[in-house]
Amino acid sequence: MDEAAGSDTGLSDVGMLGNGAPQSQVLEQVAMRKHGVDGWEPFHYEKISETEYEVSGGVPALVGGVKKWPGPHSAVVVTQAELELASAPVAIVHVQPQTAALLTPALPLQNADGGAAPNFLTVVLQLPADEAGRKRICNALSLDASFFGATVTATSLADEIAVNQLLELRCDPADVKQARERAASRKPAVS
């Protein structure tokens, strides 16, 4: 799809969502926040004015291993100003050196067969635009804390899931497989 002429958003006039592109992800996140219904996810957008996109979605279901939107669809309008605000750089959180050392332990084995990682939970949070909101979230997620026995093994101020998805699309599949096997074979940290 061609990008819209003169558009700062990097989005075309019409498109499908869920492709992992950073611009699309921002549009998805803003639309989900504005729609405000648990489980609602966008799948399509259309530029309806110079500064607005209509984003359509619904509650998806897995049908034959593929995400589909069989139920009723609804839409929300997202403005270019909202996209720009959501794309604003997040604040850098200063981590004390002693805390940083805690954040880099050797990764434990992911599971016995080296496959998917059921022993890990990856969460990406888009921090709010206001400084007080960012501080509240960073303080609530004290990085040197133990969460019911879970240990923080890595942190990032970027959307590493999107980065990994884009790298997988562009890298040789053999390299991706080798990287996954290497990560799965790391020895557990000794307490």
Side-chain angles (χ1 to χ4, degrees):
M1 289 184 230
D2 293 333
E3 294 195 354
S7 173
D8 320 12
T9 62
L11 296 166
S12 59
D13 288 344
V14 175
M16 300 302 289
L17 295 169
N19 60 13
Q23 302 91 337
S24 296
Q25 288 182 339
V26 172
L27 183 60
E28 291 170 16
Q29 292 167 358
V30 172
M32 287 189 292
R33 185 177 64 242
K34 283 188 77 172
H35 195 274
V37 173
D38 285 341
W40 186 90
E41 293 182 27
F43 60 84
H44 180 266
Y45 69 90
E46 181 174 348
K47 189 171 187 175
I48 57 173
S49 77
E50 287 302 311
T51 61
E52 297 176 313
Y53 292 89
E54 181 181 68
V55 182
S56 302
V59 178
L62 280 179
V63 178
V66 177
K67 193 183 280 191
K68 304 233 181 215
W69 284 259
H73 300 156
S74 56
V76 64
V77 174
V78 175
T79 66
Q80 188 167 345
E82 290 169 321
L83 293 174
E84 290 168 0
L85 182 62
S87 298
V90 295
I92 295 176
V93 179
H94 178 69
V95 178
Q96 297 295 331
Q98 62 272 27
T99 302
L102 293 172
L103 299 179
T104 55
L107 293 175
L109 287 174
Q110 294 181 14
N111 64 17
D113 64 293
N119 296 337
F120 289 87
L121 168 67
T122 302
V123 178
V124 177
L125 299 173
Q126 181 175 347
L127 296 176
D130 65 294
E131 181 69 25
R134 289 192 296 268
K135 285 183 180 178
R136 276 194 309 274
I137 289 173
C138 291
N139 289 338
L141 298 173
S142 177
L143 299 179
D144 58 354
S146 173
F147 299 100
F148 306 105
T151 304
V152 175
T153 60
T155 61
S156 173
L157 287 174
D159 186 349
E160 297 301 332
I161 292 174
V163 170
N164 285 334
Q165 288 172 339
L166 292 170
L167 286 171
E168 282 188 38
L169 290 173
R170 289 170 173 80
C171 291
D172 183 284
D175 291 338
V176 173
K177 182 180 180 211
Q178 182 182 22
R180 289 189 182 284
E181 289 170 351
R182 185 171 177 201
S185 69
R186 292 187 176 185
K187 301 293 179 216
V190 179
S191 300

